[in-house]
Amino acid sequence: MTVDDRFNQEYRGTLEEPPPGSRNEVITGPVSDWATDFSHAEPEWAADPYPIQDELRQRCPIAHTERFGGGWLPTRYEDVAAIAYDTEHFSSRAIIMSNFRPPVELAPVGTAPPISSDPPFHHHARKLLLPAFTKSAVAKREAGTRAYCHALIDAMEGQDVVDAAADYAQHIPMRVIAEMLGFPPEDGAQFRVFVENALEGINLPPEERFARSQQLFDYLLVQIREHVEHPRDDLTSYLIDAELDGNKLDPSHVAGTMALLLIAGIDTTWSAIGASLWHLAKTPADRERLVAEPELLPTAMEEFLRAYAPVTMARLVKQDMHWRGGDMKADDWILLSFPAANRDPAQFDRADEVVIDREVNRHVAFGLGIHRCVGSHLARMELRVALEVWLERFPDFSLADPDAVTWAAGQVRGPRTLPIRVG
């Protein structure tokens, strides 16, 4: 089989068939009791999940819900860590908790390797990506990222109020990932739609979710075929040419990994940048200190990642079992809340406070275990540069309208609209 043959019309046809798996009734509406009916898709969770998590940690540290076909929400650090490290009892074949579960046979590869992969396949799929995300590889992208941040702010000239999410934070990782994958930078508007479809449309009927995901994979297939015809030095060409055990990657592996990089590489980072700017806009003392002490920024940045960790991951229970007081059934969801773990007072002193000079900060914003974020060096670089440039250009800024700030629902939480007064 040649490289070209893998992405022929026959492969395109596989994208048109709804995937096998189990579907369940979509349940929406107000939560009756967060301990027995939780939902990460409801507006009150998006607006402010921390009081909910704090209350659950005291009253019912592993909450349960019948929504999404049944699932669990641990809120203590020790429980989140135990599940993250336990690949024997919990599978990663689906990492977005929704009303669709892919079939067991999809393991150990999953739909978006390596994040959806179980051992032993996971190790090999992850290893393929490591060279692109080393500190030295990331460092080569810093100057371009910094120049782009300045260009975004140049475009705001003359405005007293700007949207720091839609006009700044969201553009930075879209440009970086587009360059890494070799995608047209002007396609950023499409990337935003793909991200929102994947991460915020979890309560849409499974058929509609499939149709929306099909749009993403149609786009990726166009990019793959263009790279087959015109190879270049980027991640897309790298994945097309990569081998495992002496064989070229399956086309679904290539496309799935590209989807992972596009979705996860964008929303997680823009959410971290946006949340950090939101905090500084509403906390003048921290903003003023960072302007006066720019050398403190790397430490403050880690605290923003802890306090406003954007990412929650899902797992699926492999088989019926009794786990820490709960009778978990095969294919129950586990919502692995790294944000809740990061605010556990048993793990962090003054856990509910943002302490920008916190010295000991073993946060889990990038996850734990074998699935710890492969792109953490890249995300840190983008976050640091984005904040450095913003503070340099706008040393004095504040929230224009706190009530106008909106947050994404679902498993990646960050500001979607963030009006900031800069003039």
Side-chain angles (χ1 to χ4, degrees):
M1 177 182 289
T2 68
V3 170
D4 302 68
D5 289 340
R6 284 180 294 158
F7 305 101
N8 60 17
Q9 194 60 36
E10 183 177 328
Y11 170 63
R12 172 62 184 81
T14 66
L15 301 178
E16 297 177 347
E17 296 296 324
S22 60
R23 294 158 172 79
N24 50 265
E25 178 188 2
V26 176
I27 302 174
T28 61
V31 168
S32 60
D33 183 337
W34 286 96
T36 58
D37 183 43
F38 76 82
S39 172
H40 57 306
E42 293 305 308
E44 58 266 46
W45 179 271
D48 190 0
Y50 306 120
I52 298 169
Q53 295 167 357
D54 292 344
E55 195 246 346
L56 287 175
R57 201 180 295 111
Q58 295 294 320
R59 181 167 69 94
C60 176
I62 305 178
H64 183 258
T65 189
E66 293 297 334
R67 302 187 192 211
F68 309 102
W72 303 83
L73 171 65
T75 52
R76 294 184 302 202
Y77 181 100
E78 63 173 303
D79 294 330
V80 171
I83 294 168
Y85 283 106
D86 187 351
T87 58
E88 179 183 351
H89 296 100
F90 304 97
S91 172
S92 296
R93 77 176 195 273
I95 46 88
I96 302 295
M97 181 173 171
S98 70
N99 294 292
F100 169 75
R101 290 165 173 76
V104 174
E105 294 75 29
L106 202 62
V109 179
T111 57
I115 200 170
S116 62
S117 305
D118 292 331
F121 184 85
H122 167 271
H123 171 77
H124 305 290
R126 180 184 174 89
K127 192 174 180 181
L128 282 174
L129 294 180
L130 292 178
F133 293 95
T134 62
K135 283 187 177 181
S136 58
V138 167
K140 296 174 183 177
R141 301 190 178 277
E142 180 167 334
T145 303
R146 187 176 302 276
Y148 185 58
C149 289
H150 277 291
L152 289 170
I153 291 181
D154 288 343
M156 300 174 186
E157 186 175 358
Q159 299 180 54
D160 292 333
V161 175
V162 300
D163 189 330
D167 296 335
Y168 187 68
Q170 293 177 14
H171 288 276
I172 298 162
M174 287 196 295
R175 174 61 67 93
V176 172
I177 292 296
E179 290 180 351
M180 292 184 74
L181 287 168
F183 292 176
E186 61 270 18
D187 289 353
Q190 291 186 67
F191 301 162
R192 182 182 283 111
V193 174
F194 295 151
V195 167
E196 292 176 355
N197 284 344
L199 297 170
E200 295 193 58
I202 53 175
N203 262 330
L204 292 171
E207 292 72 24
E208 186 171 345
R209 276 185 63 76
F210 169 72
R212 294 189 180 198
S213 71
Q214 189 177 9
Q215 296 171 8
L216 165 61
F217 283 94
D218 280 344
Y219 175 85
L220 295 176
L221 186 55
V222 169
Q223 300 303 320
I224 290 170
R225 287 175 169 170
E226 206 273 333
H227 277 73
V228 168
E229 294 295 325
H230 306 284
R232 64 204 77 163
D233 183 18
D234 57 32
L235 261 175
T236 298
S237 287
Y238 170 77
L239 289 167
I240 291 169
D241 293 337
E243 295 184 358
L244 280 181
D245 298 325
N247 297 310
K248 298 290 188 183
L249 302 183
D250 186 88
S252 62
H253 184 160
V254 175
T257 298
M258 290 169 64
L260 163 65
L261 296 172
L262 190 65
I263 301 300
I266 288 176
D267 196 10
T268 55
T269 306
W270 88 26
S271 295
I273 296 170
S276 300
L277 291 174
W278 172 77
H279 173 84
L280 292 172
K282 74 182 185 68
T283 317
D286 287 350
R287 172 181 54 76
E288 291 165 3
R289 186 174 178 191
L290 287 182
V291 170
E293 303 175 49
E295 68 277 5
L296 184 60
L297 183 60
T299 301
M301 191 176 82
E302 297 302 318
E303 179 67 347
F304 298 149
L305 286 168
R306 182 196 69 83
Y308 307 115
V311 181
T312 295
M313 279 295 158
R315 299 285 187 269
L316 287 169
V317 176
K318 286 189 177 182
Q319 57 198 21
D320 292 359
M321 64 177 179
H322 189 76
W323 197 87
R324 300 197 176 185
D327 289 316
M328 296 181 174
K329 298 177 182 177
D331 264 7
D332 273 358
W333 291 105
I334 305 287
L335 201 56
L336 210 54
S337 177
F338 298 118
N342 271 347
R343 286 174 174 252
D344 186 347
Q347 188 70 19
F348 297 94
D349 183 44
R350 298 163 66 190
D352 60 342
E353 298 179 37
V354 178
V355 183
I356 63 170
D357 58 1
R358 186 185 295 270
E359 293 183 3
V360 179
N361 194 352
R362 297 174 62 88
H363 67 74
V364 295
F366 293 111
L368 288 165
I370 65 171
H371 289 287
R372 189 184 182 280
C373 176
V374 73
S376 59
H377 295 315
L378 181 67
R380 280 189 166 104
M381 182 277 286
E382 293 177 79
L383 175 58
R384 175 177 53 80
V385 170
L387 295 180
E388 285 174 351
V389 171
W390 184 277
L391 289 167
E392 174 189 338
R393 299 290 296 273
F394 296 131
D396 186 8
F397 59 95
S398 59
L399 291 179
D401 180 1
D403 294 334
V405 178
T406 62
W407 297 79
Q411 287 176 224
V412 181
R413 182 178 182 270
R416 279 289 186 260
T417 55
L418 180 55
I420 284 183
R421 184 171 301 283
V422 296

